[in-house]
Amino acid sequence: MTQLLTRAKAGQGENDEEQEALPSLDKPGWYSQGNAVHLYELLKKMTGKPEPKVVYFGDSMHSDIFPARHYSNWETVLILEELSGDREGKPEESEPLEKKGKYEGPKAKALNTLSKKWGSFFIDSVSGLENTEDSLVYTWSCKRISTYSTIVIPSIEAIAELPLDYKFTRFSSNNSKTAGYYPNPPLVLSSDGMLTTK
């Protein structure tokens, strides 16, 4: 029933060529068009464990995070660039000059979590009925993030220098909706008590 989509790459350079579909993965290497079932079987063989733990990193809720969590039950780390611009003038900007690279150019303009056309990525305002105030609610995207992601980071660089045994606070039904954002939740979610779920 599962169609094998795994294709081997000849190398890891610019001139890589896709080859015919493989029946299984038999060794570590460079693969594309992958199949999670075959990757998991390779990991079992490599680790000698019947149920190796997998943490999947991705920047797409649709093609990375949702399938990895929903179909494979893997831990997932969503890389969400919108978090990097949320707190302008904070840690990255206040870094001492001696810690910055010699040839480091000016930082790119920070992404914004509030679109003039679409509104906030995280919260939305719902008009109240007659004589009632508008209320803030989590957006569909925000709810999917906390449902299918273990944690959310702005970039790989944000966690690269952490110790290997660093304990992240995860999203869970026991924690607030902002618990899994590292290093900080988006500013618009800081007033967590005011939001309702619809």
Side-chain angles (χ1 to χ4, degrees):
M1 176 154 177
T2 302
Q3 182 181 8
L4 179 61
L5 300 175
T6 307
R7 298 185 181 274
K9 289 278 200 165
Q12 292 186 22
E14 290 179 15
N15 299 322
D16 291 348
E17 294 180 24
E18 286 196 4
Q19 300 173 355
E20 291 303 311
L22 300 172
S24 66
L25 304 179
D26 58 353
K27 61 182 177 179
W30 188 262
Y31 299 96
S32 69
Q33 309 297 317
N35 182 308
V37 173
H38 293 97
L39 176 59
Y40 198 63
E41 290 303 317
L42 175 63
L43 293 173
K44 285 181 187 181
K45 190 165 41 171
M46 289 174 58
T47 62
K49 295 183 177 189
E51 294 182 12
K53 293 181 181 178
V54 177
V55 178
Y56 191 94
F57 286 71
D59 62 357
S60 169
M61 180 58 69
H62 174 74
S63 60
D64 293 325
I65 303 305
F66 171 76
R69 172 71 81 164
H70 184 76
Y71 297 112
S72 301
N73 201 28
W74 292 347
E75 301 293 335
T76 55
V77 177
L78 175 61
I79 300 168
L80 189 64
E81 292 177 327
E82 286 80 0
L83 288 182
S84 62
D86 195 51
R87 297 174 185 266
E88 282 187 45
K90 296 295 187 242
E92 288 130 10
E93 297 297 301
S94 61
E95 193 173 60
L97 284 176
E98 59 272 8
K99 286 191 100 181
K100 292 186 178 186
K102 183 176 181 180
Y103 299 104
E104 190 172 307
K107 294 211 180 269
K109 187 174 185 288
L111 294 169
N112 197 333
T113 59
L114 181 63
S115 162
K116 289 178 182 158
K117 184 174 184 176
W118 301 106
S120 172
F121 187 76
F122 301 103
I123 60 170
D124 196 9
S125 177
V126 175
S127 298
L129 299 174
E130 295 176 27
N131 301 327
T132 62
E133 292 184 21
D134 290 356
S135 59
L136 297 177
V137 296
Y138 293 109
T139 62
W140 181 89
S141 297
C142 186
K143 289 187 267 185
R144 298 297 73 78
I145 288 170
S146 61
T147 300
Y148 295 107
S149 303
T150 305
I151 65 168
V152 178
I153 60 174
S155 66
I156 294 292
E157 292 79 12
I159 63 168
E161 294 185 22
L162 292 174
L164 291 175
D165 60 351
Y166 183 85
K167 301 284 187 213
F168 289 93
T169 303
R170 318 160 47 103
F171 288 114
S172 76
S173 57
N174 300 332
N175 291 332
S176 74
K177 286 242 188 247
T178 62
Y181 290 98
Y182 179 87
N184 298 301
L187 286 173
V188 296
L189 296 181
S190 296
S191 57
D192 190 35
M194 294 172 35
L195 298 174
T196 59
T197 303
K198 292 219 176 194

